[in-house]
Amino acid sequence: MAEINKKHVLFCCGVLLAVVVVLAVVCVALYFAVFRPRPPRVAATVVGSRVSDFRVFPTPVLNLTLDVEVTADNPNYASFRYGEVVTVVRYHGDDVGRAVVPAGEIGARATAAVAATVEVDAVKVMYTPYFPVDGIAGALPFETTTTVAGEAVVLGTFKISVMTVVTCTVDVCPLREEEGTPRCISTVHVG
């Protein structure tokens, strides 16, 4: 009788071990196929510029506003929480404008757009040594850098931290009140 109990115990242990192995394989497959955290895709674009006033004499005046739109696509099955979205505008490497959009959250498998309006400090632009040359050429080269940093948490356990930096260059023509086509480069830092 003791021998029969040993066989039943061994059989039950074997079945239990097989069930645990199958469950582990299913969990690993689900993690890599479905629940694996992925970095969000972020794109920033200069969608418009407004020149409300431009003159050189008697006193230089340039009132310029750049509109930047940041679009983030979250491919995860969990929400993506991001901190403040910071957009900096530079003219020949000098900071001439900055906008901060408050922190937020993008739902699971959703896309969200965040708009930022940056008022350009015209005094800084006009008193650089580059402004007379660019003004004669008719186009002011600006660079915008937008930084989005956040974290996605899947199943309350698996975390992925992501920081995306999108840099765009755009030429603004104040006399014609128009901007050129922006050229953007996106860099993603995961981990």
Side-chain angles (χ1 to χ4, degrees):
M1 187 121 158
E3 195 171 299
I4 294 175
N5 284 340
K6 277 186 178 182
K7 286 184 180 181
H8 285 299
V9 169
L10 285 175
F11 179 74
C12 288
C13 288
V15 168
L16 183 63
L17 181 63
V19 167
V20 168
V21 168
V22 167
L23 285 175
V25 168
V26 167
C27 288
V28 168
L30 279 174
Y31 172 76
F32 284 110
V34 177
F35 297 116
R36 179 176 46 97
R38 296 171 185 88
R41 292 178 290 280
V42 177
T45 333
V46 177
V47 292
S49 66
R50 292 182 303 282
V51 179
S52 57
D53 193 10
F54 176 68
R55 64 179 178 267
V56 179
F57 297 107
T59 306
V61 174
L62 173 63
N63 293 330
L64 175 64
T65 304
L66 293 177
D67 295 319
V68 179
E69 183 178 88
V70 180
T71 305
D73 177 37
N74 179 15
N76 294 299
Y77 285 92
S79 61
F80 176 73
R81 292 181 201 98
Y82 58 88
E84 292 181 331
V85 178
V86 179
T87 300
V88 177
V89 176
R90 292 183 182 87
Y91 178 70
H92 288 285
D94 296 331
D95 289 1
V96 295
R98 177 185 210 90
V100 178
V101 175
E105 185 172 323
I106 302 170
R109 303 187 61 80
T111 300
V114 178
T117 299
V118 184
E119 297 287 330
V120 175
D121 186 348
V123 174
K124 284 185 178 179
V125 172
M126 295 182 91
Y127 288 108
T128 65
Y130 308 105
F131 181 74
V133 175
D134 292 338
I136 292 171
L140 305 176
F142 287 100
E143 177 183 274
T144 66
T145 302
T146 303
T147 305
V148 180
E151 182 176 79
V153 181
V154 178
L155 298 175
T157 306
F158 306 109
K159 297 180 182 181
I160 183 169
S161 297
V162 177
M163 184 174 83
T164 303
V165 179
V166 182
T167 304
C168 297
T169 57
V170 63
D171 294 330
V172 176
C173 306
L175 294 175
R176 294 187 302 255
E177 296 186 8
E178 62 184 39
E179 77 275 347
T181 305
R183 298 163 302 282
C184 300
I185 297 171
S186 181
T187 308
V188 179
H189 306 279
V190 180

